[in-house]
Amino acid sequence: MSRNRILIIEDDEGIREGVRILLESEGYEVAEAGNGTDGLNLLDEQTDLLILDIMLPDISGLEVCEEVRRFSYVPILFLTAKAMESDKLTGLMAGGDDYLTKPFSYTELLGRVSALIRRYHTYNSVQSSDRETDRYITVDEIHINTISNEVYKNDTEVSLTELEYRILLMLARQPGKIFSAESIYENVWKETYTHCCNGTVLVHIRNLRVKLEDDPGNPKYIKTVWGKGYCVEKK
């Protein structure tokens, strides 16, 4: 079995080396870059996780994340010295999956890395088994191809992150059913829900609406049921 491959993009050589040594000691294959441009050149289809610093010397980690999301669903873990909640939400809105503030413990880092990679491979496995049961799902002008994991609005493809796609698929498969933020988080993220996770779900719902809705402030597809959660209305 091939080893999971992790790409680190971090300009602090000390941090980068420390993380690389830790991950290699746990059996991961590690590639590294000191800036965003070099990191993008190293990212390939064999990469299972991207660990990304926000403050980089050439282009910011947020810009790197946005570029990656144009062609890949690979999970992205931000490493940053910024600890404000608004900074965390900015990272998630750019397409990141998780966020770790410096300084961090190696135990916490390993836990996040393991969870993200496990969820990524579980997701890919589940998608393979689901393809024979409901290949195509339609919600008005939104068409979901579960064979290729592609989403179209009319005839135009909509680029979604892995988590955005999974949220949409969860809602669209059961129109009319209301899913709480807790239910969405635990089914999509595969982790235990805490109160602070509500903002994470909210950001991803907001991103979905920006990408899918003609008027994100007055959504047609993904409805908010106040005090209960979110749903796709049954037609």
Side-chain angles (χ1 to χ4, degrees):
M1 180 181 294
S2 60
R3 295 188 297 168
N4 289 317
R5 185 175 188 269
I6 299 174
L7 173 60
I8 306 168
I9 306 178
E10 164 66 66
D11 65 322
D12 187 312
E13 185 175 356
I15 293 177
R16 192 172 68 245
E17 181 177 5
V19 172
R20 175 182 59 78
I21 291 172
L22 173 70
L23 294 175
E24 288 179 341
S25 73
E26 294 294 318
Y28 295 105
E29 178 185 343
V30 181
E32 55 181 299
N35 61 66
T37 302
D38 290 345
L40 285 170
N41 289 332
L42 288 174
L43 185 66
D44 58 26
E45 293 182 355
Q46 281 67 54
T47 304
D48 297 288
L49 174 67
L50 173 57
I51 297 178
L52 179 61
D53 185 22
I54 286 185
M55 304 298 291
L56 295 171
D58 52 350
I59 56 177
S60 75
L62 296 176
E63 292 174 292
V64 172
C65 181
E66 290 172 349
E67 179 61 28
V68 169
R69 286 294 175 247
R70 297 179 191 274
F71 61 86
S72 175
Y73 296 132
V74 64
I76 297 176
L77 171 61
F78 278 116
L79 295 184
T80 179
K82 295 186 174 183
M84 296 293 292
E85 186 70 16
S86 59
D87 296 321
K88 178 178 179 180
L89 294 180
T90 299
L92 295 175
M93 290 180 70
D97 296 280
D98 207 348
Y99 188 103
L100 198 54
T101 304
K102 303 173 186 176
F104 52 84
S105 72
Y106 281 170
T107 300
E108 184 175 15
L109 174 64
L110 287 175
R112 301 288 183 90
V113 166
S114 176
L116 285 168
I117 291 178
R118 181 178 65 251
R119 189 175 70 214
Y120 184 51
H121 288 302
T122 299
Y123 163 73
N124 288 335
S125 175
V126 168
Q127 288 308 305
S128 296
S129 64
D130 283 347
R131 286 171 182 169
E132 294 303 317
T133 58
D134 49 6
R135 296 187 174 199
Y136 305 99
I137 299 173
T138 298
V139 179
D140 290 336
E141 295 90 354
I142 303 299
H143 306 283
I144 306 170
N145 184 336
T146 66
I147 299 172
S148 59
N149 295 353
E150 294 173 336
V151 176
Y152 292 85
K153 182 175 180 181
N154 295 318
D155 295 322
T156 303
E157 184 174 1
V158 181
S159 179
L160 301 182
T161 68
E162 170 206 344
L163 294 174
E164 290 164 0
Y165 176 82
R166 291 172 64 187
I167 293 171
L168 177 62
L169 195 61
M170 180 180 179
L171 298 176
R173 275 184 168 151
Q174 300 187 67
K177 180 176 179 178
I178 301 171
F179 293 89
S180 66
E182 178 178 357
S183 175
I184 293 172
Y185 188 84
E186 293 192 341
N187 280 279
V188 171
W189 274 260
K190 305 297 182 184
E191 297 174 7
T192 302
Y193 175 87
T194 61
H195 180 69
C196 64
C197 299
N198 186 69
T200 300
V201 174
L202 176 61
V203 167
H204 284 80
I205 292 290
R206 183 187 304 159
N207 287 348
L208 271 173
R209 286 172 172 164
V210 168
K211 294 178 179 181
L212 296 174
E213 303 281 358
D214 293 327
D215 180 6
N218 185 29
K220 173 182 177 181
Y221 306 111
I222 301 176
K223 299 286 190 177
T224 298
V225 182
W226 296 110
K228 295 183 178 180
Y230 307 93
C231 74
V232 167
E233 287 188 335
K234 182 181 293 186
K235 298 300 180 180

